[in-house]
């Protein structure tokens, strides 16, 4: 029986099944922005800031029609990764802007300021603490050939899931009130 209650999440990693996994890590070029100081380790920009469901298995079912004059590619597809997560974050941002009655500007200021307090972070985000974004390369038969190291999820900000996924009913009014 499904109630719709939140259970848990793990870092997106379908590298063996779909050849896809979450990104994340640290820049070797861009220094850490001011809002990441005291939260993200090291001297360079850490990614991601936040997460969203990116799984391809049980991903987002979407009707796609590339152009009105093209036929044959239109239909229902399952999307995952950034193609699923980014539009969902855009939707939350649009709801917060509508609630605020104006543009929100840079969200990172508010998100990082709030997340410095673990209680507030846990109020606004589902902290993902399991899994990793290591990528396993396979041969043509699906046999593992090598693994590209990634980052493990852990409590608080991490380079696999950022602060985690939004608790939309709490994050939307928070962003509207603080941006």
């Amino acid at each position: 029986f499904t109630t719709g209650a939140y259970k848990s999440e793990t870092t997106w990693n379908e590298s063996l099944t779909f050849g896809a996994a979450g990104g994340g890590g640290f820049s070797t070029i861009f220094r850490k922005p001011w809002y990441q100081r005291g939260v993200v380790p090291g001297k360079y920009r850490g990614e991601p800031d936040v997460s969203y469901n990116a799984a391809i298995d049980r991903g987002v079912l979407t009707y796609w029609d590339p152009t009105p004059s093209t036929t044959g590619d239109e239909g229902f597809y399952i999307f995952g990764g950034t193609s699923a997560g980014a539009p969902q974050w855009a939707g939350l941002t649009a709801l917060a802007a509508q609630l605020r009655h104006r543009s929100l500007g840079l969200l990172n200021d508010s998100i990082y300021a709030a997340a410095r307090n673990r209680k507030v972070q846990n109020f606004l985000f589902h902290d993902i603490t399991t899994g990793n974004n290591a990528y396993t390369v396979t041969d043509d038969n699906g046999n593992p050939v090598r693994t590209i190291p990634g980052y493990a999820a852990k409590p608080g900000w991490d380079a696999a899931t950022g602060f985690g996924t939004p608790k939309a009913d709490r994050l939307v009014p928070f962003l509207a009130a603080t941006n």
Side-chain angles (χ1 to χ4, degrees):
F1 180 72
T2 302
T3 65
Y6 180 83
K7 292 183 182 180
S8 67
E9 295 173 274
T10 190
T11 305
W12 176 46
N13 194 329
E14 295 175 308
S15 60
L16 288 173
T17 53
F18 292 104
F26 297 89
S27 176
T28 58
I29 299 171
F30 298 103
R31 288 206 158 292
K32 181 180 358 183
W34 69 268
Y35 51 80
Q36 286 192 330
R37 292 186 189 132
V39 178
V40 176
K43 296 180 181 180
Y44 292 93
R45 175 73 161 104
E47 290 286 343
D49 298 309
V50 293
S51 293
Y52 217 102
N53 179 7
I56 298 167
D57 184 18
R58 297 184 180 94
V60 178
L61 182 64
T62 306
Y63 184 81
W64 186 57
D65 188 358
T67 63
S69 61
T70 305
T71 59
D73 289 334
E74 67 275 353
F76 287 95
Y77 293 88
I78 294 179
F79 287 90
T82 305
S83 297
Q88 292 173 84
W89 265 102
L92 293 180
T93 303
L95 290 172
Q98 184 178 23
L99 188 60
R100 177 75 174 188
H101 301 291
R102 65 179 173 86
S103 174
L104 299 180
L106 181 67
L107 300 181
N108 291 14
D109 298 347
S110 298
I111 290 172
Y112 278 88
R116 281 184 169 77
N117 179 320
R118 184 58 68 92
K119 285 185 180 183
V120 176
Q121 178 186 339
N122 290 334
F123 180 77
L124 298 174
F125 295 95
H126 296 287
D127 192 7
I128 301 167
T129 59
T130 61
N132 65 65
N133 63 358
Y135 187 85
T136 302
V137 179
T138 59
D139 63 19
D140 292 340
N141 296 320
N143 300 311
V145 175
R146 73 179 198 286
T147 299
I148 300 167
Y151 295 91
K154 61 183 179 72
W157 183 92
D158 59 68
T161 65
F163 291 116
T165 58
K167 294 178 181 176
D169 61 326
R170 298 172 182 177
L171 187 65
V172 166
F174 170 81
L175 291 174
T178 58
N179 274 20

